[in-house]
């Protein structure tokens, strides 16, 4: 089964790790019945919050996906490497280098140094991600990770700083100010002239199921949808598109999706998020207690949406796949 | 007293640390007599063995000077930082990044990341070195460190690899092959069009004494002498030029100066090295047992040339300064 997912950072990565866990369980059970169906997972990762720090190109969402799926993530944080030291960053601080609000560990720095070297040699980001994926053994897991685009894209936030409007990098707003600085709007530099990375559109068109994990609908999935061609591919694919709401009771489980929705003038609710995807969404998982009005052509499933463990994430991913398969079967018989 | 030194890496750095130690001792004694003479030391550092690794600009000699004079050096190695970890390099190795024969610690990496960022922004190397010098408190020590040039210069070694001649970077020859691969010649790319960094020529012209520490005469001091204008400044300065032989009994105390001399067809002896400096050298310290024929206009002093401790290096530097002062006094009365 070919599943294609559009993913941001922590939430997307944890959901997809759950999906792999679920697929292994299902495959083990199916092998007992002699009917194993191998999962081929293509992940289209957001690069909209990429940033250049100390002259090095940092791709926070791509790296969180690599580390989480490859088994190197810092579980407590959700981002960065496990068993990490920060000697390089401490020395950069001693040198007076800015910024100091973005935490980069020594092992993590290696990813950025390596990526920056290859990009500097003219290698496209997608080829760099392929190399990083090999280091993390994603191929052996049946996972192909693609950046949404090879075109450098950066999200900036226009903030109101005591009456003065100025644009700061998304990471500065998100990490340094914890999304607490009043945001007027998001400006995604480079997005309108970005082209989907090789394989992105085909992965959507040729999938058996397209999944939207509970990633931020504005600054993660919303950015991927803004890459010219991606939204059309989602509208045109014959695969069902099933999403998982990132909100529980109108609040994000993690991150600041509510603030992001407010900024773009969309209701902070599962219904509000579904509205952003209304032109291509077929199935929608929402939390048990969430209000979600019926909408023609949208199959809603209610269930707990907490990813408190790999097993819980696997259950959630399993429910997503089940809904997708149900929609597929319904189409086949229609 | 204004002293200007031309220096390579470990040997030069240890000698100059000894010189600072000597100056502090002398100043303390002189203050007791109410006649303190402050040392202003300008160090012109070799950049001929600079190398770009993982897309980062590494200046081995400059950094050894910074770390040694600033108190951050790994004493046992003579290069790199004390209390160093290697997590970044281990991760680069896991990524399959090359080369793996050049050791870079996590703190050391910060220097290279910072320098590369500033160079990438268009800052000249001399301005970067000024910033690094501030971090290491060189100004407080009365030291001004200048790279010999802001022009990127790289030494390559033409080696005979089983009948095949090929050029490899000096560091690959020096570090990876420990100078054991037969060398045909050195090629210093960029040297003929290099211009001395701001302040270099004036520091030589306006010094009270010019010192050549026991650095490699071919690939350290020899490269600095190759920067257009430097040799003329040494010939023209009114300051005495006093050097310390890097050889004891025809062998280098450290490094592979003998192999380098052989490669350029110069006798592996203190006399051979002095011959390389004959057009500007006024005083020459050689080891007690070293043969050193009399040469018109060259004052030779014999003494032990081992820098087994900071105190020993200070003694050696003191003897160098004494010889320089003697030559100055003789000129003044001539």
């Amino acid at each position: 089964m070919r599943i294609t997912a559009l993913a941001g950072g922590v939430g997307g990565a944890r959901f997809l790790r759950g999906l792999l866990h679920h697929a292994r369980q299902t495959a083990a059970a199916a092998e007992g019945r002699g009917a194993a169906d191998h999962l081929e997972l293509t992940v289209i990762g957001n690069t909209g919050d990429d940033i250049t720090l100390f002259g090095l190109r940092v791709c926070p969402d791509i790296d969180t996906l690599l580390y989480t799926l490859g088994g190197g993530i810092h579980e407590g944080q959700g981002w960065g490497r496990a068993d990490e030291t920060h000697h390089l960053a401490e020395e950069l601080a001693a040198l007076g280098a800015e910024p100091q609000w973005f935490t980069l560990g020594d092992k993590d720095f290696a990813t950025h140094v390596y990526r920056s070297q290859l990009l500097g040699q003219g290698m496209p980001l997608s080829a760099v991600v392929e190399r990083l994926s090999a280091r993390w053994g994603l191929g052996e897991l049946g996972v192909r990770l693609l950046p949404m685009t090879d075109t450098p894209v950066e999200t900036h936030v226009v903030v109101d700083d005591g009456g003065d409007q100025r644009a700061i990098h998304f990471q500065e707003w998100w990490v340094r100010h914890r999304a607490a600085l009043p945001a007027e709007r998001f400006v995604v530099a480079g997005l309108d002239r970005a082209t989907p990375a090789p394989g992105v559109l085909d992965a959507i068109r040729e999938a058996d199921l397209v999944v939207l994990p509970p990633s931020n609908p504005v600054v993660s999935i919303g950015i991927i949808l803004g890459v010219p061609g991606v939204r059309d591919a989602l509208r045109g694919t014959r695969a069902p598109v099933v999403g998982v709401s990132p909100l529980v009771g109108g609040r994000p489980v993690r991150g600041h999706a509510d603030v992001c929705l407010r900024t773009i003038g969309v209701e902070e609710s599962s219904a509000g998020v579904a509205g952003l995807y209304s032109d291509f969404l077929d199935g929608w998982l929402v939390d048990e207690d969430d209000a979600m009005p019926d909408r023609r052509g949208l199959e809603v499933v209610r269930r707990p949406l907490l990813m408190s463990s790999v097993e819980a994430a696997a259950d959630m991913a399993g429910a997503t796949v089940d809904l997708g398969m149900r929609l597929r079967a319904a189409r086949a018989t229609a």
Side-chain angles (χ1 to χ4, degrees), chain A residues 55-252:
Chain A
L56 302 174
R57 193 66 177 162
V58 178
C59 303
D61 284 359
I62 293 288
D63 293 348
T64 295
L65 288 162
L66 286 166
Y67 299 162
T68 304
L69 300 181
I73 198 78
H74 186 299
E75 283 297 335
Q77 288 175 172
W79 49 268
R81 295 283 305 272
D83 305 316
E84 187 61 292
T85 52
H86 299 84
H87 301 149
L88 202 164
E90 285 158 21
E91 179 59 28
L92 280 175
L95 285 161
E98 295 287 349
Q100 294 178 18
W101 46 260
F102 199 94
T103 305
L104 292 170
D106 295 324
K107 292 190 225 174
D108 194 26
F109 253 114
T111 305
H112 314 314
V113 167
Y114 182 66
R115 172 169 40 229
S116 302
Q117 179 186 20
L118 296 179
L119 290 174
Q121 290 167 356
M123 188 181 282
L125 180 61
S126 51
V128 176
V129 170
E130 200 178 321
R131 290 219 191 171
L132 293 169
S133 297
R135 184 264 180 263
W136 288 104
L138 296 201
E140 288 78 358
L141 299 172
V143 177
R144 185 172 58 130
L145 175 60
L146 307 175
M148 65 185 201
T149 178
D150 283 333
T151 313
V153 168
E154 282 197 355
T155 304
H156 295 89
V157 187
V158 179
V159 296
D160 189 333
D161 201 0
D164 253 9
Q165 282 207 354
R166 61 189 177 97
I168 60 176
H169 193 285
F170 170 75
Q171 295 295 348
E172 184 171 357
W173 181 71
W174 188 264
V175 175
R176 185 183 194 181
H177 299 290
R178 297 165 189 274
L181 213 54
E184 298 283 331
R185 62 183 186 279
F186 301 104
V187 178
V188 192
L191 191 61
D192 54 339
R193 57 182 164 73
T195 49
V200 163
L201 298 185
D202 284 347
I204 295 170
R205 290 186 194 121
E206 294 164 11
D208 297 316
L209 171 62
V210 174
V211 165
L212 307 183
S215 291
N216 190 305
V218 182
V219 295
S220 292
I221 292 180
I223 307 293
I224 303 176
L225 295 177
V227 177
V230 167
R231 194 160 200 125
D232 278 343
L234 283 162
R235 285 189 193 121
T237 182
R238 277 176 303 181
V241 180
V242 176
V244 181
S245 172
L247 299 179
V248 172
R251 290 174 165 268

Side-chain angles (χ1 to χ4, degrees), chain A residues 208-212 233-244 274 277-285 292 295-301 320 323-328 330-331:
Chain A
D208 297 316
L209 171 62
V210 174
V211 165
L212 307 183
L234 283 162
R235 285 189 193 121
T237 182
R238 277 176 303 181
V241 180
V242 176
V244 181
Y277 306 148
S278 59
D279 49 333
F280 56 78
L281 192 69
D282 303 301
W284 190 227
L285 271 73
M292 181 67 218
R295 194 170 290 175
R296 188 189 299 264
L298 182 64
E299 185 85 11
V300 174
V301 166
T320 310
L323 174 55
M325 290 302 97
R326 196 144 50 79
L327 291 166
R328 256 179 83 79
R331 285 186 187 186

